[in-house]
Amino acid sequence: MVREDIIKQVNAILAEEFEVDPTLFTPDANVKDTLSLDSLSLVDLVAIIQQTYKIKIPATDLREIQTFDNLYDYIESHFGQNG
């Protein structure tokens, strides 16, 4: 899966799930702030990404995912790996 496909798919999923305009999903935008995530909705986000891309996101890695660009990078680098 190429990065452009990941970006389009992630943006579509998150826009629908969190009812946020996907035009706000800029590479440098903060994921938690943009999606107005609290701790429970953050768990939902992780579950959606893990289920969609069949990857694991440990809590230690989650701290490193601050921006949408970080999220796309993480998915791109872990997609297709057994985790």
Side-chain angles (χ1 to χ4, degrees):
M1 179 172 273
V2 295
R3 185 178 181 86
E4 292 79 26
D5 293 336
I6 291 171
I7 292 170
K8 286 178 189 174
Q9 187 177 36
V10 167
N11 288 357
I13 291 168
L14 296 182
E16 182 176 334
E17 182 69 27
F18 296 100
E19 299 178 352
V20 175
D21 183 350
T23 61
L24 299 175
F25 303 165
T26 61
D28 293 331
N30 183 283
V31 175
K32 291 178 188 174
D33 292 345
T34 304
L35 299 176
S36 300
L37 299 180
D38 58 18
S39 57
L40 184 57
S41 53
L42 181 60
V43 171
D44 290 341
L45 169 68
V46 171
I48 291 165
I49 298 299
Q50 289 183 149
Q51 182 178 6
T52 302
Y53 296 99
K54 308 296 186 243
I55 61 175
K56 290 277 190 193
I57 305 177
T60 53
D61 288 356
L62 187 58
R63 291 185 205 113
E64 302 300 317
I65 301 172
Q66 298 294 318
T67 67
F68 283 91
D69 211 32
N70 297 151
L71 179 60
Y72 307 142
D73 287 344
Y74 192 88
I75 293 168
E76 185 176 32
S77 66
H78 291 81
F79 182 72
Q81 297 178 2
N82 293 326

